[in-house]
Amino acid sequence: MTPIPKLPTLEKLKWVYSLVLAVFCVSAAVWMIRSDGIFQISSLTYPVLQPSVTPTVAQNMTAGFKVLRGQPASLVRVNGSRTLLISAYLEHRTRTKKVLVIAIMFRKEKVSLQCSLRCREQLHVSRASVDIHWDHFGFPYGTADVSCPLPPACQAPTHVAVTSAAIRNPADQSDMEYLEVWNQRALTSFPYTFTSCFSTMYNYTNVLQLVQSLEMLQFLGVNRVVIYKMNCSAETQRVLDYYSDKGLVEVVPWSLSKYLNVSRRAKPDQDPGDIHYFGQIPALNDCLYRSMYRSKYVALHDPDELILPQLVNSWVELLPLLERKYGVNKCYKFENNWVPSEFALTPPAPQTLPQLDRWQNVSGVNILNHVYIEPAPRKPVFNNYKIITNPRSVYSVTVHGVLRSQGGCAWTDRRIARMYHVKPRGQTELKPEQLIYDGRLLKYSSRLVSAVNIVLRDNGLLPKDAM
Ligand SMILES: *[C@@H]1O[C@H](CO)[C@@H](O)[C@H](O)[C@H]1NC(C)=O
Ligand SMILES: *[C@@H]1O[C@H](CO)[C@@H](O)[C@H](O)[C@H]1NC(C)=O
Ligand SMILES: *[C@@H]1O[C@H](CO)[C@@H](O)[C@H](O)[C@H]1NC(C)=O
Ligand SMILES: *[C@@H]1O[C@H](CO)[C@@H](O)[C@H](O)[C@H]1NC(C)=O
Ligand SMILES: *[C@@H]1O[C@H](CO)[C@@H](O)[C@H](O)[C@H]1NC(C)=O
Ligand SMILES: *[C@@H]1O[C@H](CO)[C@@H](O)[C@H](O)[C@H]1NC(C)=O
């Protein structure tokens, strides 16, 4: 968890205030202190740099502000605009430091935005610049970077409010909705080695595959999985709670459909709506920044996609190989291999797994039953890969790969690592004999079976005596 930045100066100020208040109480009339004392203390301690903005000073310094704590995927609507704010992060890597607010904007709207940056108890107003990502797939809304340049006197704002410049600042500053600014410090050592970002879980019921994926990811070296959740079955929720308690999973509620008509598909002609595929792209960008100073590497993929190394057994061993071969500080792309779940592991299969009918009552796909991949398409398809990257060398990401980065991406040779995408493929012309056996996953099967059994049993999805 990124620690919620404390406000030590506010604490101090409260202290000073109490002290001075006590002294005044002894010597003077109480009503005078109420009217002047408070303001004097604030102007003594922190000269007002923006005279147009009255600092909000109260006994409880946070009381005057509506602060949205906790999950920064707060989905705040900007008054007078169709813009939705997702989260705010301090950007340490640009020549001039700034606050990056990840947002969703209506592409046709001409709006000029302004930032109210809160440093200690003061507000600094600056003009925002807006960059709408080009990967909007033709939907009316797109992901946007709202950049708030930092004035010299406010280099580490704790909170930011974004408002429409056309609407006068609310006379009462306390009406503004503030986002907490995350990534206050550019750390160089990280609590997690690998974080996986699962974007936009919707109507999710595939419990077995989820548990299998989360256990596999741990074998590979992943110690954090951030999941943007719209909704799921009660059993899935139980499993998510279980992994959240263990510290593996961080669920970010993703209630975008309250604000927008999210499309369930990747293109407007497949399913019209306001924004591409459940708002997956802003979620992935949030995950990138959220993980930037928490995780050495970040992987962007879905729960049904598994990147498996072919020469070594974990990502921990894989990444040094890739860094030697392709260079450091970049993103590595892994070739997609379709594993149609319509085709099961059937005799004469190279291995049979007698335990598996134990899971027959658990809803979802059993990936161990699906180890036949589709032959490579005649023309190579290079648009459905997924990535693992150093997040600190990337500025923005998209569904497949990076949009802006320092080092670009390198293709991983499929003999070193490849991705398996296990899902129903729908209508297919493929005949079983055209599929290609790829049993790499089975190298993990005995460990996977025991680990999954434990989780299912702990969650009441298998009988207690099942082992
Ligand atoms: C300050 O006010 C906020 C909002 O009214 C409240 O949630 C918080 O508990 C208060 N903090 C203290 C230290 O009194
Ligand atoms: C939005 O701005 C308008 C115009 O300033 C104001 O009348 C209205 O109360 C504001 N609404 C909210 C929810 O802040
Ligand atoms: C949710 O998933 C279930 C089972 O997979 C499916 O039958 C149903 O149509 C889906 N509902 C929506 C609203 O997508
Ligand atoms: C998820 O939400 C959709 C739309 O509201 C609903 O139709 C579906 O049943 C929900 N799925 C689950 C698993 O609760
Ligand atoms: C979604 O679209 C429907 C039909 O076009 C419309 O009635 C509804 O207001 C829209 N909802 C949102 C949240 O935009
Ligand atoms: C699955 O459920 C059925 C019906 O409740 C039960 O008879 C069967 O024993 C269960 N199978 C397993 C492996 O738990």
Side-chain angles (χ1 to χ4, degrees), residues 191-204:
Y192 308 118
T193 308
F194 290 99
T195 296
S196 281
C197 299
F198 290 0
S199 61
T200 59
M201 176 179 267
Y202 171 77
N203 192 25
Y204 196 89

Side-chain angles (χ1 to χ4, degrees), residues 30-46:
V30 173
W31 65 268
M32 275 178 62
I33 304 149
R34 280 276 160 89
S35 53
D36 287 329
I38 296 168
F39 185 71
Q40 267 184 16
I41 290 160
S42 99
S43 56
L44 273 176
T45 319
Y46 306 107

Side-chain angles (χ1 to χ4, degrees), residues 82-368:
R82 292 163 88 164
T83 304
L84 264 181
L85 309 176
I86 309 291
S87 48
Y89 296 93
L90 209 55
E91 172 58 272
H92 300 271
R93 301 166 298 169
T94 44
R95 203 174 305 146
T96 45
K97 260 175 125 184
K98 64 178 188 179
V99 166
L100 170 70
V101 181
I102 298 171
I104 295 171
M105 293 184 77
F106 185 58
R107 296 192 291 120
K108 282 193 188 141
E109 184 181 73
K110 296 273 171 281
V111 60
S112 102
L113 298 175
Q114 77 182 22
C115 311
S116 298
L117 298 154
R118 180 178 162 200
C119 265
R120 301 199 176 92
E121 90 286 16
Q122 296 183 338
L123 290 179
H124 302 258
V125 176
S126 74
R127 190 62 167 269
S129 63
V130 164
D131 172 30
I132 298 181
H133 298 193
W134 56 263
D135 58 340
H136 47 71
F137 296 90
F139 285 97
Y141 283 77
T143 310
D145 292 350
V146 174
S147 296
C148 305
L150 300 183
C154 181
Q155 288 286 292
T158 54
H159 299 86
V160 63
V162 175
T163 50
S164 160
I167 292 190
R168 244 167 224 291
N169 258 340
D172 187 358
Q173 299 285 348
S174 65
D175 276 357
M176 299 206 289
E177 281 190 289
Y178 284 83
L179 300 176
E180 197 159 335
V181 178
W182 290 56
N183 291 357
Q184 286 287 325
R185 284 188 295 152
L187 303 176
T188 51
S189 67
F190 317 105
Y192 308 118
T193 308
F194 290 99
T195 296
S196 281
C197 299
F198 290 0
S199 61
T200 59
M201 176 179 267
Y202 171 77
N203 192 25
Y204 196 89
T205 56
N206 194 349
V207 179
L208 184 55
Q209 191 170 2
L210 179 66
V211 172
Q212 290 178 328
S213 292
L214 291 172
E215 292 304 314
M216 275 303 297
L217 288 174
Q218 291 178 85
F219 295 156
L220 295 169
V222 171
N223 20 44
R224 190 71 160 170
V225 181
V226 182
I227 302 179
Y228 292 78
K229 192 200 81 177
M230 300 185 94
N231 73 340
C232 63
S233 64
E235 286 179 352
T236 304
Q237 187 59 51
R238 208 185 311 163
V239 165
L240 291 178
D241 291 342
Y242 170 88
Y243 283 110
S244 303
D245 289 346
K246 293 217 175 263
L248 177 70
V249 162
E250 173 177 5
V251 174
V252 180
W254 191 247
S255 52
L256 200 52
S257 42
K258 273 194 217 150
Y259 302 89
L260 296 174
N261 277 321
V262 297
S263 172
R264 295 162 186 214
R265 301 295 297 276
K267 292 188 189 130
D269 58 359
Q270 297 168 327
D271 178 27
D274 290 329
I275 189 162
H276 165 268
Y277 199 68
F278 304 110
Q280 174 185 37
I281 294 169
L284 289 174
N285 279 281
D286 179 70
C287 197
L288 172 78
Y289 278 85
R290 182 186 292 245
S291 311
M292 194 158 286
Y293 300 107
R294 299 201 310 203
S295 191
K296 189 166 180 198
Y297 302 102
V298 169
L300 305 184
H301 59 94
D302 293 334
D304 58 3
E305 294 171 323
L306 205 49
I307 295 165
L308 290 186
Q310 306 291 310
L311 306 175
V312 292
N313 289 321
S314 69
W315 291 1
V316 180
E317 301 157 282
L318 173 66
L319 265 286
L321 283 180
L322 300 179
E323 289 177 337
R324 265 202 304 279
K325 191 170 167 71
Y326 301 113
V328 293
N329 294 337
K330 30 175 74 202
C331 98
Y332 306 100
K333 308 201 263 193
F334 301 91
E335 187 191 288
N336 180 60
N337 289 272
W338 290 111
V339 186
S341 58
E342 288 89 348
F343 297 91
L345 179 72
T346 45
Q351 290 195 22
T352 49
L353 297 158
Q355 298 203 55
L356 299 187
D357 45 347
R358 199 166 274 173
W359 297 338
Q360 74 192 26
N361 290 343
V362 184
S363 81
V365 172
N366 172 12
I367 57 174
L368 287 169

